[in-house]
């Protein structure tokens, strides 16, 4: 699960690094929307991964 989450974050970072293109404002707005959707969709997964790590450390 962590690998899937990290891959999604890596894809978001790669898209951010590839900008700006010909329409920077529109691309930035689209990227922010993609980030918001990804964050909302994976909020529970991120929390579960963090909780799992804390239990491993104790």
């Amino acid at each position: 699960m962590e690998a899937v989450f990290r891959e999604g974050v890596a894809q978001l970072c790669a898209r951010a690094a590839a900008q700006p293109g010909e329409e920077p404002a529109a691309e930035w707005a689209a990227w922010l929307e993609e980030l918001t959707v990804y964050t909302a969709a994976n909020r529970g997964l991120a929390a579960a991964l963090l909780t799992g790590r804390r239990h491993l450390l104790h």
Side-chain angles (χ1 to χ4, degrees):
M1 290 176 78
E2 184 174 353
V4 172
F5 181 76
R6 287 183 179 275
E7 179 59 29
V9 171
Q11 288 175 4
L12 284 168
C13 292
R15 284 198 11 88
Q19 295 180 27
E22 294 189 22
E23 296 184 39
E27 292 169 10
W28 184 62
W31 183 82
L32 283 176
E33 182 176 353
E34 185 179 345
L35 176 63
T36 301
V37 169
Y38 185 82
T39 302
N42 291 285
R43 182 173 40 178
L45 177 57
L49 290 172
L50 289 172
T51 300
R53 284 189 171 202
R54 283 189 206 119
H55 286 131
L56 291 174
L57 296 174
H58 296 295

